[in-house]
């Protein structure tokens, strides 16, 4: 609220400027026609930093109030350190837990990553388990063992109700042990990834894993020593696949009235009867829209003038508040049963969509999408998407108007370092990306990171490619042409290397490739008839729910503009389908397309 009050004071100051003052000092929201000024809040902020903290030029007292930290502090040198032999940036919180227990805030979350040696007689399954703990913990260890053929293992055994000793360890000595790697740690939490690999068997096999010493910090703080079990297909078998999307509730929904994520009860029931090998998330695994309803963006959303919202700064105070909101929302949702149980038993494979960030992200007007607040929440959402859904370290820093360096992309295509964000924080710097990722060649326009699409094999005969269709998205483009080139080159080379073993390619998109074309509705919503309604809305609040709370456009337009069937995406859609047809013809593979977003299951 303090940020909102400062911003309101600034607006009052600038609205009361005289023409002579504007000509003398320049207006930060828009100069007089014959003056230079600055046309965006980002440009104004960047240009003013040198004046405010470098000792030159005319300092604007109102603008200086937008900073919650001195921008010079963000440019201080940072330490490059190691944690358990893993290189990273930042020194971490420098605390050590007194308890021998592993104090867990969320997890375990099981991910499937890829196969290796997939074209040999000895294929290897690769995955990871994520646990989120309080800071200063000893590195977790995971014990993994095979229970044998799935058809010989009872459900109770698969649920981990086998004999454990008093400290929660399996009495069998055949378990393999895997150690955790610290991905990220700050004074509030730590993220640990435990990489696991195992050989495919001649038969479908149940594998059980267990992390000793777990004590949950939610609820009563009880110990949970029950094992988690997942199922891996035989080496000659393709995977049984579960697909889901839109796993949440729109902002303002009474979640308790719908009994929370109740559909996951059906998933657990199906897992008892015939276990699934992989769980594909097609986007919107979590809904973060509440950040504007009851979160730190509420004061910003309540600013009535879209131009003033567009100019609002995303300073370190707001960034930290949004960071905490997104983290807590992930913890709350990923701890909610029965979704939490499914995450520990069925290996996940995810791409993201708009609600993983905020409703409609990427499909509003370009000048609004480039505003500081949207760039800021895009960076924060990407940080926790990387950690929770992919088990990879986040960028070293995210966008904030208090740190001039973060407002421009570094040569490696990521957000540069901000010393303030890295205070008492450690971020792992990976030596290389996992081979399952197809990394975009350049950063997205609104999220200053490169897209991260996925290719992997799902058992003996199925290949999977999930396109990251959100990082590069604008209102007029879904992915860069060079990104499609890189994806199709990689997929084609992998299918060719299989020597005919791959028979089926599954393509995952965040939105459907086939959906009713609502061009008539698009035409109406873009037509002059909307003008009088918009005027009445601005003047008297009429039809308040008809317009969105961001750029003031008709609320349905971001959904319509998101679809491949939208008029501005039709050519891109046609080119994608034609390339898939060429791929299918060249390699004699069947292609199936999965799409999320529209809350509809159809075949």
């Amino acid at each position: 609220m303090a940020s909102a009050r400062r911003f309101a004071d600034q607006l009052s100051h600038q609205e009361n400027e005289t023409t002579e003052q504007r000509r003398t000092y320049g207006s930060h929201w828009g100069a007089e026609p014959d003056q230079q000024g600055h046309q965006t809040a980002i440009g104004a902020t960047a240009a003013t930093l040198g004046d405010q903290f470098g000792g030159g030029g005319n300092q604007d007292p109102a603008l200086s109030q937008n900073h919650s930290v001195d921008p010079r502090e963000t440019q201080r040198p940072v330490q490059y350190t190691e944690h358990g032999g893993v290189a990273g940036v930042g020194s971490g919180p420098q605390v050590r837990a007194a308890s021998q227990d592993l104090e867990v805030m969320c997890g375990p979350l099981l991910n499937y990553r890829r196969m290796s040696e997939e074209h040999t007689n000895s294929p290897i399954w690769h995955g990871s388990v994520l646990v989120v703990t309080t800071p200063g913990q000893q590195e977790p260890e995971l014990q993994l063992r095979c229970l044998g053929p799935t058809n010989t293992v009872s459900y109770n055994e698969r649920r981990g109700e086998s004999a454990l000793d008093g400290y929660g360890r399996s009495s069998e000595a055949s378990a393999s042990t895997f150690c955790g790697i610290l991905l990220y740690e700050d004074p509030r939490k730590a993220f640990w990834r435990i990489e696991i690999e195992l050989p495919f068997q001649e038969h479908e096999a149940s594998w059980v894993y267990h992390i000793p010493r777990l004590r949950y910090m939610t609820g009563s703080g009880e110990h949970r020593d029950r094992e988690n079990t997942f199922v891996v297909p035989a080496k000659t078998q393709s995977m049984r696949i579960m697909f889901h999307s839109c796993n949440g509730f729109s902002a303002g929904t009474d979640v308790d009235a719908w009994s929370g994520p109740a559909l996951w009860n059906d998933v657990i029931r199906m897992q008892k009867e015939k276990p699934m090998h992989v769980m594909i998330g097609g986007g919107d695994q979590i809904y973060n829209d509440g950040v504007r309803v009851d979160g730190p963006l509420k004061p910003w959303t309540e600013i009535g003038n879209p131009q003033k919202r567009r100019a609002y700064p995303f300073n370190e105070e707001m960034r930290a508040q949004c960071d905490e909101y997104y983290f807590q929302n992930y913890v709350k949702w990923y701890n909610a049963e029965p979704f939490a149980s499914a995450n520990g038993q069925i290996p996940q494979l995810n791409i993201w969509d708009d609600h993983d960030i905020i409703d409609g992200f990427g499909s509003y007007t370009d000048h609004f999408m480039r505003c500081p607040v949207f760039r800021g929440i895009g960076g924060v959402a990407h940080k926790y998407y990387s950690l929770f859904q992919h088990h990879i370290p986040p960028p070293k820093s995210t966008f904030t108007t208090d740190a001039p360096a973060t407002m421009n992309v570094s040569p490696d295509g990521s957000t540069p370092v901000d010393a303030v964000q890295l205070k008492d924080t450690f971020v792992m710097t990976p030596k290389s990306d996992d081979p399952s990722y197809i990394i975009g060649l350049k950063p997205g326009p609104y999220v200053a990171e490169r897209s991260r699409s996925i290719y992997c094999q799902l058992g003996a005969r199925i290949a999977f490619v999930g396109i990251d269709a959100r990082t590069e998205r604008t209102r007029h483009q879904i992915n860069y042409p060079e990104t499609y080139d890189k994806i199709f080159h990689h997929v084609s080379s992998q299918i060719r290397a299989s020597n005919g073993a791959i028979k089926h390619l599954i393509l995952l998109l965040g939105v459907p490739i086939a959906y009713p074309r609502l061009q008539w509705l698009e035409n109406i919503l873009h037509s002059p008839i909307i003008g009088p309604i918009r005027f009445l809305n601005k003047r008297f609040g009429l039809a308040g729910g008809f317009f969105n709370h961001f750029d003031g456009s008709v609320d349905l337009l971001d959904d319509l503009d998101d679809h491949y069937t939208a008029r501005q995406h039709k050519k891109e859609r046609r080119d994608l389908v034609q390339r898939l047809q060429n791929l299918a013809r060249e390699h004699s593979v069947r292609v199936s397309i999965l799409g999320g977003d529209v809350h509809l299951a159809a075949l």
Side-chain angles (χ1 to χ4, degrees):
M1 293 302 292
S3 295
R5 285 194 296 269
R6 285 199 299 269
F7 189 70
D9 293 341
Q10 177 187 345
L11 292 176
S12 176
H13 164 82
Q14 292 176 345
E15 287 171 353
N16 292 326
E17 282 181 336
T18 66
T19 301
E20 186 61 31
Q21 286 174 319
R22 287 195 180 100
R23 288 175 175 159
T24 303
Y25 301 110
S27 171
H28 290 282
W29 304 140
E32 291 293 302
D34 58 340
Q35 302 296 317
Q36 292 184 357
H38 307 292
Q39 296 304 314
T40 66
I42 295 175
T45 304
T48 310
L49 290 178
D51 295 343
Q52 290 178 303
F53 299 105
N58 297 310
Q59 180 173 327
D60 186 337
L63 186 62
S64 67
Q65 294 177 12
N66 292 332
H67 298 295
S68 57
V69 299
D70 184 335
R72 292 174 300 185
E73 295 295 318
T74 71
Q75 300 171 354
R76 292 185 180 278
V78 296
Q79 285 185 289
Y80 287 83
T81 57
E82 285 194 1
H83 190 288
V86 176
V89 59
S91 59
Q94 303 299 308
V95 296
R96 290 293 175 264
S99 172
Q100 293 298 310
D101 293 331
L102 191 65
E103 298 176 341
V104 175
M105 304 172 74
C106 187
L109 308 176
L110 175 64
N111 268 19
Y112 171 69
R113 195 165 296 282
R114 60 185 170 90
M115 294 170 63
S116 64
E117 307 295 328
E118 59 267 42
H119 307 314
T120 71
N121 196 41
S122 303
I124 305 296
W125 186 100
H126 293 265
S128 61
V129 172
L130 182 83
V131 287
V132 186
T133 70
T134 55
Q137 301 291 312
Q138 298 180 20
E139 70 177 29
E141 293 185 346
L142 180 145
Q143 298 168 358
L144 175 72
R145 60 189 174 88
C146 184
L147 294 178
T150 301
N151 57 8
T152 66
V153 179
S154 70
Y155 176 71
N156 285 341
E157 289 177 301
R158 291 207 309 270
R159 284 295 296 131
E161 296 177 9
S162 52
L164 300 176
D165 66 18
Y167 205 56
R169 293 174 295 214
S170 171
S171 59
E172 298 186 17
S174 58
S176 299
T177 299
F178 299 88
C179 295
I181 300 170
L182 183 62
L183 302 178
Y184 175 90
E185 186 177 33
D186 67 24
R188 297 289 302 277
K189 68 269 187 185
F191 288 78
W192 298 87
R193 179 182 70 204
I194 306 171
E195 298 177 354
I196 56 178
E197 60 180 59
L198 53 91
F200 283 82
Q201 308 290 309
E202 296 294 339
H203 47 260
E204 181 183 58
S206 294
W207 292 80
V208 61
Y209 70 91
H210 170 243
I211 303 173
R213 304 183 291 111
L214 291 191
R215 180 165 66 88
Y216 281 76
M217 304 307 294
T218 56
S220 60
E222 75 275 16
H223 288 78
R224 298 185 191 177
D225 286 328
R226 189 174 66 186
E227 298 173 328
N228 281 289
T229 303
F230 60 100
V231 177
V232 175
K235 62 174 65 175
T236 58
Q237 182 184 9
S238 294
M239 293 188 181
R240 281 192 296 275
I241 301 167
M242 172 199 158
F243 169 65
H244 71 99
S245 68
C246 302
N247 178 43
F249 298 90
S250 298
T253 302
D254 185 352
V255 177
D256 293 335
W258 294 91
S259 303
L263 287 175
W264 289 97
N265 289 314
D266 196 44
V267 173
I268 298 298
R269 177 187 59 78
M270 294 170 62
Q271 188 70 3
K272 294 179 183 179
E273 298 170 358
K274 197 169 187 178
M276 288 157 285
H277 302 131
V278 66
M279 179 167 69
I280 296 175
D284 302 338
Q285 280 70 250
I286 184 171
Y287 275 51
N288 286 313
D289 305 344
V291 69
R292 70 168 177 82
V293 177
D294 53 12
L297 293 192
K298 185 177 180 181
W300 172 75
T301 307
E302 291 175 345
I303 297 173
N305 188 319
Q307 289 184 329
K308 295 176 181 179
R309 281 200 302 274
R310 200 163 64 235
Y312 197 100
F314 193 80
N315 61 20
E316 172 59 21
E317 179 185 1
M318 178 175 277
R319 186 211 62 81
Q321 291 171 351
C322 289
D323 189 280
E324 180 67 9
Y325 179 91
Y326 276 78
F327 171 71
Q328 292 295 344
N329 199 39
Y330 262 101
V331 169
K332 178 182 177 181
W333 191 245
Y334 276 72
N335 278 336
E337 292 290 356
F339 182 46
S341 292
N343 288 329
Q345 299 175 47
I346 313 172
Q348 303 171 67
L349 190 58
N350 298 323
I351 64 168
W352 67 343
D353 204 37
D354 59 334
H355 292 283
D356 296 281
I357 311 170
I358 197 170
D359 184 24
F361 189 93
S363 290
Y364 299 111
T365 54
D366 180 74
H367 64 275
F368 187 82
M369 285 300 312
R370 293 184 185 276
C371 79
V373 170
F374 260 53
R375 291 183 66 189
I377 61 172
V380 172
H382 180 272
K383 171 183 177 178
Y384 288 110
Y385 167 67
S386 299
L387 287 164
F388 277 96
Q389 299 197 43
H390 285 272
H391 306 180
I392 59 175
K396 296 180 284 292
S397 301
T398 62
F399 175 94
T400 168
T401 51
D402 276 353
T406 66
M407 296 162 64
N408 298 288
V409 180
S410 64
D412 66 354
S414 63
T415 304
V417 169
D418 172 2
V420 171
Q421 291 184 47
L422 285 172
K423 181 181 180 182
D424 298 328
T425 297
F426 172 85
V427 183
M428 173 189 171
T429 53
K431 295 179 180 179
S432 61
D433 289 301
D434 189 88
S436 62
Y437 290 122
I438 306 171
I439 308 296
L441 297 177
K442 61 182 180 181
Y446 313 131
V447 177
E449 304 296 332
R450 294 185 290 171
S451 63
R452 189 174 291 270
S453 300
I454 302 170
Y455 174 88
C456 60
Q457 198 164 317
L458 304 181
R461 293 175 296 280
I462 299 178
F464 168 85
V465 59
I467 295 182
D468 177 354
R470 191 54 55 177
T471 302
E472 298 173 356
R473 177 182 289 271
T474 71
R475 202 172 189 178
H476 300 284
Q477 157 196 286
I478 297 173
N479 285 101
Y480 300 135
E482 53 267 37
T483 298
Y484 286 117
D485 292 341
K486 190 172 184 181
I487 290 172
F488 276 92
H489 175 77
H490 183 80
V491 172
S492 183
S493 64
Q494 292 295 317
I495 296 176
R496 187 179 300 112
S498 74
N499 294 318
I502 293 176
K503 304 295 185 184
H504 190 182
L505 173 67
I506 294 178
L507 172 68
L508 174 61
L509 304 171
V511 295
I513 195 75
Y515 199 67
R517 289 186 173 179
L518 302 176
Q519 189 168 351
W520 62 271
L521 183 56
E522 292 181 56
N523 291 336
I524 292 174
L525 297 182
H526 280 105
S527 71
I529 196 174
I530 299 299
I533 303 176
R534 179 178 284 109
F535 172 80
L536 292 173
N537 171 259
K538 289 182 177 180
R539 198 66 177 268
F540 305 108
L542 182 69
F546 190 65
F547 299 94
N548 69 55
H549 294 273
F550 300 133
D551 64 355
S553 298
V554 176
D555 194 42
L556 276 176
L557 275 177
D558 68 284
D559 292 309
L560 296 176
D561 290 343
D562 243 19
H563 287 185
Y564 282 93
T565 51
R567 58 185 175 186
Q568 60 266 37
H569 298 317
K570 284 168 62 177
K571 182 182 182 300
E572 188 171 348
R573 172 182 183 261
R574 183 196 64 204
D575 292 344
L576 175 58
V577 170
Q578 288 178 343
R579 296 187 77 158
L580 289 170
Q581 290 173 330
N582 294 336
L583 185 77
R585 182 172 59 250
E586 178 184 357
H587 298 289
S588 298
V589 295
R590 173 189 175 191
V591 178
S592 298
I593 304 174
L594 296 174
D597 184 68
V598 294
H599 302 198
L600 174 70
L603 187 62

